[in-house]
Amino acid sequence: MKKFTVPTRDQVSENNKAVFDHFQKAIGMMPNLYALMAHSENGLINYVALQSGKSSLRAKEREAINLVVSQVNGCIYCQSAHTVIGKMNGFTDEQVIEIRKGSAAFDPKLDALVKLVKSITETKGRADSTLVDNFFAAGYNEGNLVDAVIIIGDKVIMNYLHNLTQVPVDFPLAPAL
């Protein structure tokens, strides 16, 4: 299989250089998987726009979605990155593992979200109706469901890109389950 290269700032378009600069300033690095997207003139910019859009879901809920989707899709890059980000958003190591396994018993509302997202991801959108009902019973609404699906789609993009390219993981590796 072709070996994919991670472009450096000097190897990308001017528009993509601005995104590299933004990441360097914001987090002190340009993650390899984002850099890989800069092979496309528009891919990186379009993806960052999708990812940075407004959501009715809190940062912690978004990270829970990222963790469970990345686990279902077997993406070690995103599992690793979102383990770090999840902990930055207040999850403990144990909670990150529990979410990756598909539940969040420590928070009943989040548990309903995680279980539904796992089902949506595993069934390609044909989630168990009981899990949908539980999601709404937990206090979520239709807008939250739409936003959850957008976040799932966002994460599927990155999971598939990494699973296809296998660029080096530049975060501490998430523990295996």
Side-chain angles (χ1 to χ4, degrees), residues 13-29:
S13 70
E14 291 302 316
N15 286 340
N16 283 326
K17 284 179 183 175
V19 179
F20 273 59
D21 294 344
H22 169 78
F23 272 90
Q24 189 64 43
K25 184 177 179 184
I27 65 171
M29 66 181 274

Side-chain angles (χ1 to χ4, degrees), residues 28-92:
M29 66 181 274
M30 180 59 175
N32 285 340
L33 195 53
Y34 283 86
L36 182 76
M37 290 184 131
H39 280 299
S40 165
E41 178 64 30
N42 300 302
L44 177 60
I45 293 166
N46 290 340
Y47 179 74
V48 169
L50 170 65
Q51 189 176 56
S52 61
K54 292 183 180 183
S55 176
S56 63
L57 297 172
R58 300 170 303 151
K60 215 167 184 176
E61 292 165 320
R62 292 191 304 269
E63 282 313 308
I65 293 169
N66 290 332
L67 284 163
V68 72
V69 171
S70 297
Q71 185 66 42
V72 169
N73 288 328
C75 179
I76 188 61
Y77 190 100
C78 294
Q79 290 167 23
S80 299
H82 290 287
T83 292
V84 171
I85 298 167
K87 291 194 298 190
M88 289 170 51
N89 278 284
F91 289 125
T92 66

Side-chain angles (χ1 to χ4, degrees), residues 64-162:
I65 293 169
N66 290 332
L67 284 163
V68 72
V69 171
S70 297
Q71 185 66 42
V72 169
N73 288 328
C75 179
I76 188 61
Y77 190 100
C78 294
Q79 290 167 23
S80 299
H82 290 287
T83 292
V84 171
I85 298 167
K87 291 194 298 190
M88 289 170 51
N89 278 284
F91 289 125
T92 66
D93 288 326
E94 295 78 19
Q95 290 170 337
V96 166
I97 295 294
E98 185 179 346
I99 292 166
R100 286 177 53 206
K101 288 180 177 179
S103 66
F106 58 90
D107 179 330
K109 186 174 182 180
L110 192 62
D111 189 56
L113 173 67
V114 168
K115 286 177 177 171
L116 176 60
V117 166
K118 182 177 185 209
S119 180
I120 290 169
T121 307
E122 289 175 336
T123 65
K124 297 174 178 61
R126 294 170 184 87
D128 181 307
S129 62
T130 302
L131 296 175
V132 176
D133 292 341
N134 292 347
F135 173 82
F136 290 121
Y140 290 105
N141 62 41
E142 290 86 353
N144 300 140
L145 181 63
V146 170
D147 287 344
V149 171
I150 289 169
I151 296 163
I152 291 167
D154 157 355
K155 199 46 43 199
V156 166
I157 291 168
M158 290 301 250
N159 293 168
Y160 285 13
L161 188 60
H162 185 262

